[in-house]
């Protein structure tokens, strides 16, 4: 699935999306969504103040994938 990053600076053809605690991100970026492409490392596609916000976005990505969408834009 193609994911367009929240900051509008990256487009990733990803295979894996993870939520990670961002220790140096400050109050507005405590949790980040990272997307991994085969053999190309990871790209941060979104940052959130609370884990629940990141989980909500991950659920939206999954819903798009489950319905057959080819792409998704992170909010």
């Amino acid at each position: 699935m193609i994911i367009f990053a929240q900051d509008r600076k990256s487009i990733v053809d990803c295979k894996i999306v993870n939520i990670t605690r961002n220790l140096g991100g400050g109050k507005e970026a405590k949790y980040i969504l990272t997307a991994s492409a085969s053999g190309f490392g990871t790209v941060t596609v979104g940052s959130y103040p609370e884990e629940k916000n990141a989980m909500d976005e991950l659920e939206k990505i999954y819903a798009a994938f489950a319905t057959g969408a080819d792409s998704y834009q992170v909010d």
Side-chain angles (χ1 to χ4, degrees):
M1 171 180 257
I2 303 292
I3 294 186
F4 189 30
Q6 185 181 49
D7 66 2
R8 311 300 187 249
K9 293 181 180 180
S10 301
I11 296 173
V12 182
D13 185 5
C14 71
K15 302 294 180 194
I16 301 168
V17 180
N18 293 310
I19 297 172
T20 305
R21 177 90 162 113
N22 188 17
L23 298 176
K27 291 181 182 180
E28 295 302 313
K30 288 183 183 178
Y31 293 88
I32 57 174
L33 281 176
T34 58
S36 302
S38 299
F40 294 104
T42 61
V43 174
T44 298
V45 294
S47 58
Y48 304 90
E50 300 294 330
E51 186 176 28
K52 181 186 180 334
N53 303 115
M55 291 178 72
D56 290 345
E57 191 66 28
L58 185 59
E59 287 177 10
K60 290 177 188 176
I61 293 170
Y62 172 75
F65 175 76
T67 60
D70 292 329
S71 63
Y72 182 82
Q73 184 171 339
V74 177
D75 291 327

